[in-house]
């Protein structure tokens, strides 16, 4: 399940986590209307977050891939929860290591 948050750098506030893009758009519009007269604050951001509350856009490519895999594994048991169980994080690391080993094996065999 996808998770989204809105962040206003002027007010230094972050919205609660929502699960649909339309909800985050409504949250952002309501905040702008109530506190900024409908204007868009400079540097505002809205986007998808992982189960640990980190913005996917701020993560490096490998960390983002690990977070996506761990989120999907954790969502099997608790789709709307937050936080990574250790098993989801370990499973994501194992999947990435197996994929890297497979790629290395294919490249070595091709040479």
């Amino acid at each position: 399940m996808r998770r989204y948050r809105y962040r206003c750098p002027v007010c230094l506030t972050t919205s609660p986590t929502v699960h649909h893009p339309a909800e985050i758009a409504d949250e952002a519009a309501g905040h702008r209307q109530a506190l900024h007269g409908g204007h868009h604050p400079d540097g505002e951001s809205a986007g998808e977050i992982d189960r640990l509350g980190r913005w996917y856009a701020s993560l490096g490519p490998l960390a983002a891939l690990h977070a996506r895999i761990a989120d999907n594994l954790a969502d099997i048991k608790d789709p709307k929860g937050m936080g990574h169980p250790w098993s989801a994080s370990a499973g994501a690391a194992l999947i990435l290591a197996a994929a890297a080993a497979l790629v290395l094996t294919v490249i070595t065999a091709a040479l």
Side-chain angles (χ1 to χ4, degrees):
M1 172 148 296
R2 309 274 186 198
R3 292 158 188 81
Y4 302 90
R5 281 193 182 153
Y6 168 76
R7 172 92 177 135
C8 178
V10 175
C11 302
L12 299 177
T13 58
T14 303
S15 71
T17 302
V18 296
H19 298 284
H20 299 287
E23 292 175 14
I24 200 63
D26 293 343
E27 180 76 29
H31 174 82
R32 278 188 229 110
Q33 192 62 39
L35 298 174
H36 303 290
H39 296 275
H40 292 263
D42 290 340
E44 74 176 349
S45 58
E48 192 174 358
I49 60 168
D50 68 353
R51 288 177 66 102
L52 298 177
R54 301 175 298 182
W55 301 89
Y56 279 118
S58 69
L59 297 175
L62 188 58
L65 182 60
H66 179 273
R68 284 246 189 239
I69 294 169
D71 285 353
N72 288 333
L73 291 173
D75 282 346
I76 292 170
K77 286 186 179 181
D78 184 16
K80 290 194 175 186
M82 295 294 285
H84 284 167
W86 69 269
S87 58
S89 188
L94 182 64
I95 290 169
L96 288 174
L102 180 62
V103 168
L104 186 60
T105 301
V106 168
I107 290 173
T108 304
L111 296 175

